[in-house]
Amino acid sequence: MDTFDYFGSVLVGFFSFFFVFLIAGVSFLRERTTGTLQKLLSTPLRRWEVVAGYLLGFGLFTLLQATLIAWYATSVLGIALEGSIFLVLLMNLLLAVTALTLGTLMSAYAQNEFQMFQFIPLVVVPQIFFCGLIDLQSMPEWLQTLGRFLPLYYGADALRGIMLRGDGWDRIWVDALALLGFSLLFATLNVKALRKHRRI
Amino acid sequence: MSGVNDMSLSESGKCIEVKQVTKAFGKKVVLNDVSLDVKRGEIFGLLGPSGSGKTTLVRLITGLDEPGSGSISVLGEQMPKLGILSRIGYMAQSDALYGELSAMENLQFFSSLYGLRGHLLKERIGEAAELVKLTDDLKKPVHEFSGGMKRRLSLATALTHHPEVLILDEPTVGIDPVLRKSVWKELDVLREKGVTILVTTHVMDEAEKCDRLAMIRDGKVIALGTPAQLKMDSGSETMEDAFVAYGGGQA
């Protein structure tokens, strides 16, 4: 199998994840440090509405970004695309939404932008290891299962399937469901984390 | 202002009631048995040095945080309560504005959170901008604003939904004396319209402009009354002397 295609298909997902994680994290952090988050919470807005608003607003742009990355990867770089481009977009979007919710959640634990970047080795780097870019055959089995707890593992699995093997929905729905689950979990934790800023 | 004339809730004439409120963060006690009432339609000042617990008290009243013990009610409702937030205008110590957006866009965004739309939204923004004298600068992006302009825009964002209670945390900090005067003039205008205003300050001469005020130090109310009363009772010429006399120490 062509190495470039193999790496390329995974990287399409990785870039969606990485950029959205950082941008979402930093912008939510800025809401906090500039005081606009407090201002938002002094209005009758509910906590989940703040999180949902972020999801909707950013979701729109991440869809644009995902389209751009997928188009560039397949049309300009010529990475193989056996399956449907729409499935690629869907998985990219799901990955981006997971990154968005995870990024905003992590930002609750950062005091400034610099600390947000310190989450990269903690949150992003392990995902590169476990998303299939590196052969982990010789790694102890218990360590290999760690990948199952990381969103990119599922995103990369689905993207590889769609782009290299032409997998359809019937083969990737588990991955899609996993990402949806991660997003829901992170978003719920987000709403909880906002309790720190307003009790109700 | 509309809605302000609704006096049904003012059975007792009290707009904000703080009863024996204590609040601690970890082991540090920030508010210690604080009690005070703010009457409808008055400007009530919280005077104290930074770190005295003013901001914490204001955050409790706004419902952003809960007291450890004691109770707070605003407009007859126990706080924190989401439904009351639409009747409160809150201006935090930091200018909570989006620098990339224009003043107009900031006002539109924050006003829409209170459900203002369309024609009414436009009208209210025009009115608020007029009051803080920013009508000619509405198109400018906020990052080009001076500190004083940002402060006034912050005030405007707290006004568009016609709150019955206005809670202002250090509204004049970092503003030059001329502008400070104009902000206080604006507050007077709002009071005339029946708005209840709670304002924190560490500037002693600003305290004189309040109808009544509470002096706060180390999380305790050390004195409460009208400025004239406080000065007379402590036998002081100035607010500053009065603060020291009441045990404010180095003011």
Side-chain angles (χ1 to χ4, degrees):
Chain A
M1 193 186 293
D2 191 340
T3 327
F4 183 62
D5 282 346
Y6 184 78
F7 281 110
S9 62
V10 173
L11 283 178
V12 165
F14 171 73
F15 283 126
S16 284
F17 187 89
F18 184 57
F19 291 141
V20 174
F21 175 79
L22 272 191
I23 294 168
V26 168
S27 52
F28 203 68
L29 181 80
R30 278 187 53 202
E31 297 271 1
R32 223 177 70 220
T33 50
T34 59
T36 45
L37 179 64
Q38 199 188 35
K39 171 89 187 166
L40 291 181
L41 291 174
S42 76
T43 73
L45 214 58
R46 286 160 204 280
R47 278 180 286 133
W48 68 265
E49 287 176 318
V50 176
V51 175
Y54 246 74
L55 263 173
L56 274 176
F58 262 90
L60 210 69
F61 285 99
T62 53
L63 185 63
L64 265 171
Q65 184 194 257
T67 315
L68 190 70
I69 292 178
W71 168 80
Y72 192 85
T74 52
S75 299
V76 180
L77 297 180
I79 294 172
L81 176 63
E82 297 295 327
S84 152
I85 182 85
F86 292 108
L87 280 184
V88 173
L89 285 183
L90 175 74
M91 288 317 290
N92 253 340
L93 182 69
L94 284 175
L95 255 180
V97 169
T98 313
L100 176 72
T101 48
L102 181 61
T104 47
L105 179 63
M106 291 323 265
S107 77
Y109 303 98
Q111 296 303 317
N112 50 48
E113 276 93 342
F114 182 66
Q115 285 187 359
M116 196 60 216
F117 287 103
Q118 289 179 323
F119 281 125
I120 295 174
L122 228 77
V123 174
V124 177
V125 172
Q127 309 221 42
I128 303 177
F129 278 110
F130 288 102
C131 70
L133 277 183
I134 299 160
D135 189 11
L136 299 175
Q137 294 289 303
S138 55
M139 191 190 254
E141 200 134 324
W142 66 270
L143 211 54
Q144 282 187 41
T145 54
L146 202 68
R148 306 267 190 300
F149 297 98
L150 302 172
L152 201 56
Y153 174 90
Y154 299 94
D157 183 58
L159 284 171
R160 257 199 317 268
I162 302 163
M163 296 177 77
L164 301 181
R165 294 191 297 272
D167 281 357
W169 176 248
D170 56 315
R171 307 284 301 265
I172 61 152
W173 67 272
V174 178
D175 292 319
L177 214 62
L179 288 182
L180 214 59
F182 275 117
S183 304
L184 264 173
L185 172 73
F186 295 147
T188 314
L189 290 176
N190 252 318
V191 178
K192 280 226 177 337
L194 278 180
R195 269 182 72 89
K196 209 167 78 181
H197 302 283
R198 190 181 71 193
R199 303 292 290 176
I200 48 164
Chain B
M1 292 190 170
S2 65
V4 172
N5 299 328
D6 170 26
M7 298 302 273
S8 56
L9 275 153
S10 63
E11 341 58 50
S12 53
K14 286 173 189 166
C15 178
I16 301 172
E17 275 188 272
V18 177
K19 276 188 204 149
Q20 294 162 343
V21 162
T22 300
K23 176 81 185 171
F25 295 110
K27 276 189 179 156
K28 192 175 174 351
V29 178
V30 184
L31 292 174
N32 191 354
D33 196 21
V34 170
S35 296
L36 53 89
D37 296 323
V38 178
K39 292 180 200 149
R40 273 189 171 252
E42 73 174 347
I43 299 183
F44 189 94
L46 287 175
L47 176 67
S50 55
S52 57
K54 297 185 304 263
T55 297
T56 305
L57 180 57
V58 159
R59 282 175 52 86
L60 292 178
I61 294 171
T62 321
L64 286 167
D65 212 340
E66 275 175 324
S69 66
S71 70
I72 292 173
S73 66
V74 176
L75 297 164
E77 294 272 9
Q78 198 80 11
M79 294 302 281
K81 191 174 170 81
L82 208 59
I84 288 291
L85 292 184
S86 58
R87 297 161 70 185
I88 298 179
Y90 173 60
M91 174 182 173
Q93 219 171 72
S94 63
D95 294 309
L97 301 164
Y98 294 101
E100 305 88 345
L101 302 181
S102 70
M104 182 59 139
E105 288 162 336
N106 268 286
L107 283 168
Q108 281 169 343
F109 174 67
F110 287 118
S111 306
S112 65
L113 298 182
Y114 291 99
L116 292 177
R117 300 272 181 280
H119 184 69
L120 186 64
L121 174 72
K122 245 190 211 150
E123 190 187 298
R124 295 286 181 84
I125 288 177
E127 182 189 288
E130 186 73 34
L131 190 73
V132 297
K133 297 179 188 66
L134 282 175
T135 310
D136 299 331
D137 301 295
L138 281 178
K139 295 245 153 54
K140 274 192 208 159
V142 167
H143 65 83
E144 284 176 18
F145 272 27
S146 69
M149 288 163 83
K150 282 186 195 160
R151 216 66 203 119
R152 281 180 290 154
L153 181 59
S154 282
L155 180 58
T157 61
L159 295 176
T160 50
H161 60 295
H162 282 187
E164 293 160 66
V165 189
L166 201 52
I167 297 175
L168 311 171
D169 200 357
E170 303 261 3
T172 58
V173 75
I175 302 192
D176 71 69
V178 179
L179 272 176
R180 185 183 296 169
K181 252 198 166 137
S182 93
V183 168
W184 273 95
K185 226 184 256 164
E186 285 149 20
L187 296 187
D188 272 333
V189 171
L190 289 166
R191 175 180 49 181
E192 302 280 291
K193 290 179 178 171
V195 181
T196 308
I197 302 172
L198 176 69
V199 58
T200 77
T201 180
H202 64 266
V203 184
M204 300 287 166
D205 68 336
E206 272 191 7
E208 306 240 21
K209 301 194 181 82
C210 302
D211 296 318
R212 288 192 312 139
L213 61 101
M215 291 178 168
I216 294 193
R217 188 177 156 83
D218 294 332
K220 281 192 197 120
V221 176
I222 53 174
L224 202 155
T226 66
Q229 210 178 340
L230 290 175
K231 277 189 288 188
M232 202 172 74
D233 291 354
S234 61
S236 324
E237 292 280 305
T238 63
M239 228 48 231
E240 200 149 343
D241 290 339
F243 193 84
V244 176
Y246 281 112
Q250 242 71 41

